[in-house]
Amino acid sequence: MTAASGGQQTARPTRLPRSARRKQLLAAAQQIFVAHGYHAAAMDDIAERAGVSKPVLYQHFPGKLELYLALLDTHCDAIIAKVRGAMLASPDNKDRVKGAVRAYFDFMDHESEAFRLVFESDLRNDPQVRQRVERVEQGCIAAVTDTIISDTGLRPDQAELLASGLAGAAGQAAQFWLANGRRTPKAEAEALVAALIWRGIASFPLQGGSTAGTAAEIG
């Protein structure tokens, strides 16, 4: 407690642990970047949103770009983990396809709108940002490629091509769905996209001679 005018006592601001303060600053920065884009966002605005002084902000992040890259790393890792998790969650390939599609729709539909940092960045020409965005595409494709290889025995180049089709279709459809005002209920949209992808993937034979499934199984 510190003395104030009139003999009143005022409480000092709570000193957060470094990890908690970093999390608070990232959350504030995300709100500003999502609302205004990178170029229009100001460190003053971020500090004000976080309720800290600019020196405190700069203690954790030396500049606006470093703050933006830290957010990108967090959300790029999250979408890759979601897709990889869908591949590992079930031995059933139909469920894997559904899970991968759901991962993209969940990411796009999250209330934080973090997808805008990854897929709609106004800083895509920066090499460090571009590298992270490309890592999302490559990481998601790699997660699906591994599953296709283990299940079908296709060559890596063939499996990677199929995986890029799956990831591309799911990601583009989710972005289109969101941009067009969610006119189709989310669960229905996911099922439609999963059905389209499954009708292609299911035709490839599994190792051992059977196919991955029949198109009628999805739904």
Side-chain angles (χ1 to χ4, degrees):
M1 304 288 286
T2 59
S5 59
Q8 295 180 342
Q9 300 291 307
T10 58
R12 291 184 180 182
T14 302
R15 186 177 181 85
L16 294 176
R18 185 172 182 82
S19 60
R21 179 68 75 193
R22 180 183 173 87
K23 184 176 180 180
Q24 176 198 32
L25 297 175
L26 286 171
Q30 180 169 310
Q31 293 174 18
I32 298 298
F33 285 135
V34 165
H36 303 292
Y38 177 82
H39 293 294
M43 293 293 269
D44 284 322
D45 296 332
I46 294 170
E48 182 179 354
R49 179 65 60 90
V52 301
S53 65
K54 280 182 67 177
V56 169
L57 180 57
Y58 281 112
Q59 285 175 11
H60 294 263
F61 300 98
K64 185 169 71 168
L65 179 59
E66 287 77 14
L67 186 50
Y68 192 82
L69 293 177
L71 277 171
L72 269 184
D73 284 335
T74 297
H75 295 299
C76 289
D77 290 344
I79 183 61
I80 293 171
K82 283 179 177 292
V83 173
R84 187 170 295 279
M87 294 297 102
L88 299 175
S90 171
D92 185 279
N93 285 322
K94 179 180 65 175
D95 289 339
R96 287 169 170 168
V97 170
K98 287 181 176 180
V101 171
R102 187 181 306 115
Y104 279 97
F105 273 80
D106 284 348
F107 185 69
M108 297 292 178
D109 195 40
H110 196 276
E111 62 183 10
S112 69
E113 297 188 89
F115 77 92
R116 298 191 186 280
L117 303 178
V118 179
F119 295 108
E120 297 182 1
S121 174
D122 59 348
L123 200 62
R124 293 286 290 269
N125 289 331
D126 182 275
Q128 295 181 84
V129 173
R130 186 168 62 250
Q131 183 272 332
R132 284 162 170 81
V133 173
E134 290 173 353
R135 181 167 65 84
V136 170
E137 178 181 352
Q138 294 165 358
C140 292
I141 289 173
V144 180
T145 297
D146 293 342
T147 299
I148 291 176
I149 290 175
S150 65
D151 283 354
T152 66
L154 290 174
R155 298 194 315 265
D157 61 301
Q158 295 173 322
E160 188 173 45
L161 186 60
L162 291 177
S164 70
L166 187 157
Q172 286 295 320
Q175 289 183 66
F176 179 85
W177 170 80
L178 187 65
N180 282 270
R182 302 178 175 90
R183 290 181 295 176
T184 305
K186 183 182 175 189
E188 181 182 343
E190 291 174 3
L192 285 169
V193 176
L196 175 65
I197 295 171
W198 180 246
R199 281 171 168 77
I201 293 292
S203 65
F204 286 87
L206 296 173
Q207 294 196 74
S210 62
T211 59
T214 62
E217 290 177 351
I218 196 84

